[in-house]
Amino acid sequence: EPEVTQTPSHQVTQMGQEVILRCVPISNHLYFYWYRQILGQKVEFLVSFYNNEISEKSEIFDDQFSVERPDGSNFTLKIRSTKLEDSAMYFCASSESTDYGYTFGSGTRLTVV
Amino acid sequence: AQTVTQSQPEMSVQEAETVTLSCTYDTSESDYYLFWYKQPPSRQMILVIRQEAYKQQNATENRFSVNFQKAAKSFSLKISDSQLGDAAMYFCAYSPPLYNFNKFYFGSGTKLNVKP
């Protein structure tokens, strides 16, 4: 069964450093998303991406965040200057159309120290 | 504003028994989608079942079924013949209509324990 692949599975970074979280969506999917889940809290929407541009973003997704689809297969989330409160599980998801559920990746656990 | 509420932080069920997880949501839309996702200890999010609001028939997937009450804005998940592998966090999610690029709103989750 096709999978959404996320790398790395766990990343530890110093506060203030830049991190890039990588995702490889399912190949025929057109819609891409990032969500995050702070430990013990709800899964929160960050951003949706379609046709090489952001279609919607949440208030969490401020100027410190950016997304990119650099080569037609990867979908990346960049955090420019990490803060302690960015520590969370980050999920990438993709979907073939807007009328079905996502396929989520297995997540990247980001720890900011 | 769309909100999703799961009022049961934790539940337990005996293996082979049936359990129902509840979910309510708030929306002013008439057409939308509802989902249940399972998150095992690995923290991967796995789609369990989906329901289109315009369909009156309740969705079923093997041992999983929903009770969708549109007027009451209720969307409960029933797991029959519970298995040890069903132990996980379960999240209810709401998605607005198609033109809004599937921004999901998740509930806070219910932790399901399955006792052997």
Side-chain angles (χ1 to χ4, degrees):
Chain A
E1 190 169 327
E3 289 184 344
V4 174
T5 305
Q6 287 188 246
T7 55
S9 56
H10 189 193
Q11 179 151 1
V12 181
T13 189
Q14 294 256 333
M15 190 169 56
Q17 295 295 306
E18 175 183 285
V19 294
I20 297 176
L21 309 183
R22 291 183 166 81
C23 170
V24 179
I26 294 173
S27 60
N28 64 333
H29 285 189
L30 302 175
Y31 302 86
F32 313 111
Y33 309 84
W34 283 100
Y35 281 75
R36 80 172 186 189
Q37 185 184 28
I38 295 172
L39 187 63
Q41 297 188 21
K42 288 186 181 185
V43 179
E44 302 172 289
F45 170 79
L46 289 178
V47 65
S48 58
F49 191 87
Y50 170 73
N51 201 26
N52 285 319
E53 61 183 25
I54 291 173
S55 50
E56 188 169 355
K57 60 183 180 180
S58 71
E59 52 275 10
I60 302 168
F61 195 89
D62 61 21
D63 292 344
Q64 294 297 315
F65 291 87
S66 62
V67 289
E68 195 176 34
R69 190 157 161 78
D71 56 13
S73 61
N74 290 286
F75 179 52
T76 61
L77 173 69
K78 182 193 291 186
I79 309 174
R80 288 191 182 80
S81 178
T82 50
K83 302 174 225 174
L84 294 176
E85 53 265 37
D86 293 328
S87 295
M89 195 78 167
Y90 287 81
F91 291 101
C92 173
S94 68
S95 64
E96 185 176 359
S97 67
T98 56
D99 63 349
Y100 205 80
Y102 304 155
T103 300
F104 279 92
S106 52
T108 293
R109 182 174 298 180
L110 177 65
T111 303
V112 182
V113 296
Chain B
Q2 290 95 341
T3 57
V4 179
T5 302
Q6 293 179 249
S7 58
Q8 306 150 316
E10 188 166 358
M11 294 191 71
S12 295
V13 63
Q14 206 70 34
E15 196 175 6
E17 298 292 306
T18 296
V19 65
T20 299
L21 310 183
S22 57
C23 172
T24 58
Y25 57 94
D26 185 29
T27 183
S28 57
E29 304 285 350
S30 59
D31 192 20
Y32 46 86
Y33 295 83
L34 296 163
F35 304 85
W36 279 97
Y37 278 88
K38 171 185 178 181
Q39 188 180 45
S42 65
R43 297 193 73 182
Q44 186 168 5
M45 296 286 282
I46 303 165
L47 177 64
V48 174
I49 200 165
R50 68 189 284 265
Q51 173 81 43
E52 296 97 330
Y54 63 86
K55 286 189 179 177
Q56 293 187 338
Q57 187 173 7
N58 289 323
T60 62
E61 285 287 345
N62 301 313
R63 297 182 295 107
F64 299 88
S65 62
V66 297
N67 183 6
F68 173 49
Q69 301 288 328
K70 191 172 183 179
K73 296 180 184 175
S74 169
F75 183 61
S76 60
L77 174 70
K78 185 170 86 171
I79 306 174
S80 304
D81 186 27
S82 297
Q83 300 175 1
L84 295 177
D86 295 333
M89 283 291 287
Y90 286 81
F91 291 95
C92 177
Y94 162 93
S95 173
L98 300 180
Y99 51 81
N100 199 7
F101 286 106
N102 280 125
K103 176 180 174 180
F104 275 30
Y105 296 84
F106 283 87
S108 54
T110 296
K111 183 181 180 183
L112 179 66
N113 304 304
V114 180
K115 299 176 182 177

